Amino acid sequence: MAKFRRIGVLTSGGDAPGMNAAVRAITRKALEQGVEVMGIIGGYSGLIHEKLVPLDAGSVSNIVMQGGTFLYSDRCLEFKTEEGMQKAMATCKKYNIDAIVAVGGDGTFRGATDLSVHGIPTIGVTGTIDNDITATDYSVGFDTAMNTVLDAVDKLRDTCESHARCNVVEVMGRDCGQIALLVGIAAGAMSVCIPEVEYDEAAEIAAIKAAKESGKRSMLVLVSEGVFVTDENGNKVPYGEVLRKKIEAETGIETKFARLAHIVRGGSPSLRDRLAATKMGVKAVELLLEGKSDLVIIEDNSEIKSMNIRFALTVDRMYKKKLKDGDLDAFTAEEIEEMKAICAKRDAYIHHLYDMAKAVRR
Ligand code: F6P
């Protein structure tokens, strides 16, 4: 068993409810195994600028229920430079950090692979509200974010019903429409617009009009922030606001617009997120102590597993159609087939839910 004396833990990228629960689990599991833990403050920038604190069991008390991340977070551009990396490595050496667990999304995992190339074993724990990491069915923060959106949308429903209005609601998720789609189903939205599925605007507006004519008073339309259109001046504009105007003009229904923005990232993590964070954090430490690294912890059909981090990042680029020349060169034909199967599974899942959302609306 590879025994580390001291590991580092950091949270990076957009914060997500449950990150604290993950840090708590990583810290307590490591301490239980006799391994010291340093908290790295502000993501990778904490490594560059030597901002670290020793964590003991008490340091992570009473954070399991807190939103945000008590280690703070950052999207650190300096870490992508060779100079930044050298400073980070020097910090690891100075503080005797033998390995790192990094909690975050795809940007965090890219940082983790850079560290491991330079000799620091790393394991990633998924923490992003977007649930946009193709390799995993679930990422910490997703459930809480969906519940926050659901709560807001239910409230909009109340007032829409009173005033016979429509409300277009734009929600976060970057290029991933899962928050909009799943909440759309749960909230009984009339229409859902996400980057993964082509939006039949004319048919959707016609459905809203028909629902109004059949007596429906309140309409909710969920639009993912990742959907854009190009305006007459060639500028990329968020589609939600454009759609609001079109619905109002073409159906005669008074239509409001709401952008929930960063409110979706806050709040106390749900039970689902606290459990996922704890299971994934513990698994990360167990694997590190077994001498394994360069992994990302994933959930696959409700089971907590791990996947090679480069494989996971490549699957992600494949699904998002962002593969660059040479990206697949390091993989066998069998591995590439496996990646394609993961992408097909995700695609089928999204389309299945999209069809379901349409089937159950009025
Ligand atoms: O990745 C999480 C996320 O909240 C996305 O949904 C959103 O597009 C982005 O981060 C916003 O980033 P920032 O907090 O840097 O504005």
Side-chain angles (χ1 to χ4, degrees):
M1 186 183 256
K3 191 82 177 167
F4 296 115
R5 218 170 61 82
R6 178 181 283 173
I7 64 167
V9 57
L10 60 83
T11 53
S12 158
D15 61 350
M19 278 185 161
N20 281 328
V23 172
R24 169 182 177 271
I26 291 157
T27 303
R28 294 252 172 99
K29 182 66 189 173
L31 293 172
E32 186 218 32
Q33 296 295 307
V35 177
E36 293 174 12
V37 184
M38 294 296 282
I40 299 160
I41 306 297
Y44 292 111
S45 78
L47 269 188
I48 295 175
H49 302 289
E50 279 190 51
K51 292 197 177 133
L52 300 96
V53 284
L55 298 178
D56 60 24
S59 320
V60 292
S61 282
N62 300 335
I63 62 167
V64 74
M65 73 296 273
Q66 286 174 15
T69 161
F70 90 113
L71 289 179
Y72 308 140
S73 192
D74 194 12
R75 301 188 198 277
C76 181
L77 295 177
E78 199 183 349
F79 190 68
K80 292 185 181 157
T81 65
E82 189 49 35
E83 202 191 336
M85 176 54 69
Q86 290 311 327
K87 284 187 191 163
M89 291 305 297
T91 303
C92 290
K93 204 165 168 211
K94 182 169 169 187
Y95 289 83
N96 298 314
I97 291 175
D98 300 320
I100 285 180
V101 182
V103 185
D106 53 355
T108 305
F109 301 151
R110 276 193 291 278
T113 57
D114 292 342
L115 272 178
S116 73
V117 163
H118 286 79
I120 299 289
T122 52
I123 293 198
V125 170
T126 59
T128 164
I129 61 159
D130 301 337
N131 205 30
D132 64 340
I133 300 164
T134 315
T136 182
D137 292 345
Y138 192 77
S139 73
V140 170
F142 180 48
D143 184 62
T144 309
M146 286 193 296
N147 280 300
T148 301
V149 174
L150 184 64
D151 181 54
V153 165
D154 282 348
K155 290 185 166 101
L156 291 170
R157 166 80 72 190
D158 290 345
T159 173
C160 281
E161 184 68 19
S162 305
H163 292 270
R165 284 177 180 154
C166 174
N167 214 312
V168 175
V169 187
E170 183 197 273
V171 294
M172 275 194 173
R174 207 179 285 279
D175 298 325
C176 177
Q178 286 195 52
I179 296 179
L181 179 55
L182 272 70
V183 175
I185 294 170
M190 259 311 290
S191 183
V192 175
C193 176
I194 59 173
E196 294 92 332
V197 181
E198 202 175 327
Y199 191 65
D200 187 343
E201 184 184 278
E204 294 296 308
I205 293 179
I208 292 171
K209 201 170 177 193
K212 178 199 172 192
E213 280 156 12
S214 75
K216 188 169 173 60
R217 286 178 63 83
S218 57
M219 317 273 181
L220 295 168
V221 177
L222 270 92
V223 180
S224 165
E225 66 168 359
V227 184
F228 291 92
V229 283
T230 308
D231 71 9
E232 58 280 6
N233 303 316
N235 300 317
K236 215 173 144 192
V237 290
Y239 182 57
E241 289 171 83
V242 175
L243 183 60
R244 183 207 75 75
K245 283 189 196 141
K246 288 189 176 175
I247 292 172
E248 191 164 82
E250 291 172 36
T251 65
I253 305 170
E254 188 183 355
T255 304
K256 302 286 180 187
F257 176 77
R259 173 172 289 129
L260 300 185
H262 290 79
I263 205 161
V264 176
R265 287 237 297 262
S268 176
S270 66
L271 178 134
R272 169 86 164 100
D273 279 326
R274 296 183 204 188
L275 285 181
T278 304
K279 288 182 194 171
M280 289 183 173
V282 165
K283 183 82 173 175
V285 174
E286 283 171 354
L287 290 172
L288 262 186
L289 298 187
E290 281 169 22
K292 298 185 181 134
S293 70
D294 292 354
L295 298 171
V296 56
I297 308 300
I298 60 162
E299 192 181 292
D300 179 22
N301 291 329
S302 304
E303 238 189 283
I304 303 296
K305 299 180 183 170
S306 64
M307 185 183 275
N308 176 275
I309 207 161
R310 284 178 192 80
F311 184 97
L313 285 170
T314 309
V315 173
D316 207 48
R317 285 202 291 280
M318 182 183 272
Y319 181 72
K320 292 169 184 162
K321 302 195 172 34
K322 288 183 180 166
L323 278 180
K324 291 193 233 86
D325 284 349
D327 269 357
L328 295 176
D329 291 356
F331 300 98
T332 64
E334 208 179 18
E335 285 169 329
I336 294 168
E337 283 313 306
E338 202 185 320
M339 287 178 190
K340 286 183 184 163
I342 293 170
C343 294
K345 179 183 157 196
R346 172 65 56 108
D347 215 31
Y349 170 71
I350 298 286
H351 279 86
H352 168 69
L353 288 176
Y354 193 84
D355 291 345
M356 186 189 292
K358 278 170 83 164
V360 298
R361 74 178 175 194
R362 178 146 165 179

